[in-house]
Amino acid sequence: MHVELILFYIFSSLAFISALMVINLTNAVHSVLFLILVFCNVAGLLLLSGAEFLAFMLLIVYVGAIAVLFLFVVMMLNVKPSSFKIKNWSKVPLSLIIFSSLVFQLVSGLNVNFEFVNSDFLSSLHWNNWVLENNGLNNVEVIGRVLYTEFSFIFISSGFILLIAMVGAIVLTMHQKSNVKKQQIAIQLSRNFTGAVKFISLRK
């Protein structure tokens, strides 16, 4: 058995178990932690598929930003588990409807014909060892060359737009108070230095 196939089974089983733990746990912090584990396993599956850029973007964006934000918000709000309990069997009809709709969308989007999945097709699959492909260009290098050569202006412009949006969000959230003493540099610099120091003769 190939190493990639063993890793695929390990990552997929861990992702499936972690996803079940996300929806079954009552503690919100534990659910977010298992959600991070799901993202990490999916990133491993993407690495096995040869999509390094998507795997790293999933780790940076979802795990590094969104999941950490979820965890921070949940810990700040201190969400307590609800005393109201729902029976697990009452979730089965809704789960079947959602699952069947997702499978229908996947099949209709990919236009899959399940008749070709037989032993001859499975035996003709070619396993690509991604460990031995270090000499060639990967997806990250190819996308980086395209972004920084042909679309460099658009890439830098989008960075400036995000910077302006971040600064605007900080300015809008700042609360200006009128009764707070602040240092006014312009008034300090325009002050006449001749009247700053006074000599007072004390009486003897």
Side-chain angles (χ1 to χ4, degrees):
M1 185 178 291
H2 296 276
V3 180
E4 291 85 358
L5 186 60
I6 297 174
L7 292 175
F8 173 78
Y9 286 142
I10 292 173
F11 285 136
S12 59
S13 59
L14 288 176
F16 181 74
I17 294 171
S18 302
L20 290 178
M21 297 298 291
V22 170
I23 61 177
N24 287 325
L25 290 175
T26 56
N27 195 342
V29 177
H30 296 167
S31 298
V32 174
L33 293 176
F34 275 103
L35 181 63
I36 295 174
L37 187 59
V38 171
F39 290 151
C40 293
N41 291 317
V42 173
L45 292 175
L46 291 173
L47 281 176
L48 290 176
S49 302
E52 299 91 357
F53 181 76
L54 293 178
F56 295 144
M57 288 299 294
L58 183 67
L59 290 177
I60 294 171
V61 176
Y62 285 93
V63 178
I66 298 177
V68 175
L69 179 63
F70 286 168
L71 185 62
F72 178 75
V73 170
V74 168
M75 293 179 68
M76 287 293 292
L77 294 178
N78 194 12
V79 179
K80 297 180 180 180
S82 178
S83 59
F84 180 73
K85 295 183 179 179
I86 302 175
K87 295 181 180 180
N88 292 328
W89 292 105
S90 62
K91 304 176 185 177
V92 174
L94 181 61
S95 302
L96 291 176
I97 293 172
I98 296 174
F99 178 75
S100 59
S101 64
L102 290 175
V103 171
F104 176 75
Q105 292 177 5
L106 180 63
V107 173
S108 61
L110 297 177
N111 195 10
V112 177
N113 187 6
F114 291 100
E115 295 180 356
F116 70 89
V117 182
N118 49 25
S119 59
D120 297 332
F121 175 75
L122 294 177
S123 61
S124 63
L125 289 176
H126 176 68
W127 293 96
N128 191 8
N129 192 356
W130 59 273
V131 179
L132 300 178
E133 294 185 354
N134 293 325
N135 295 326
L137 293 176
N138 52 19
N139 295 329
V140 179
E141 293 177 352
V142 173
I143 295 174
R145 289 186 178 184
V146 173
L147 283 178
Y148 287 102
T149 54
E150 298 181 4
F151 301 98
S152 60
F153 178 75
I154 300 175
F155 184 71
I156 297 173
S157 300
S158 62
F160 276 115
I161 291 172
L162 292 175
L163 178 62
I164 293 171
M166 182 179 66
V167 173
I170 294 172
V171 171
L172 290 175
T173 53
M174 290 179 62
H175 298 285
Q176 299 291 337
K177 295 182 179 180
S178 59
N179 57 355
V180 177
K181 293 183 179 180
K182 296 181 180 180
Q183 184 180 9
Q184 297 179 359
I185 306 297
I187 297 176
Q188 293 178 356
L189 295 177
S190 62
R191 184 180 180 183
N192 189 5
F193 67 93
T194 57
V197 180
K198 293 183 180 179
F199 293 97
I200 299 175
S201 61
L202 297 175
R203 294 181 180 179
K204 296 182 181 180

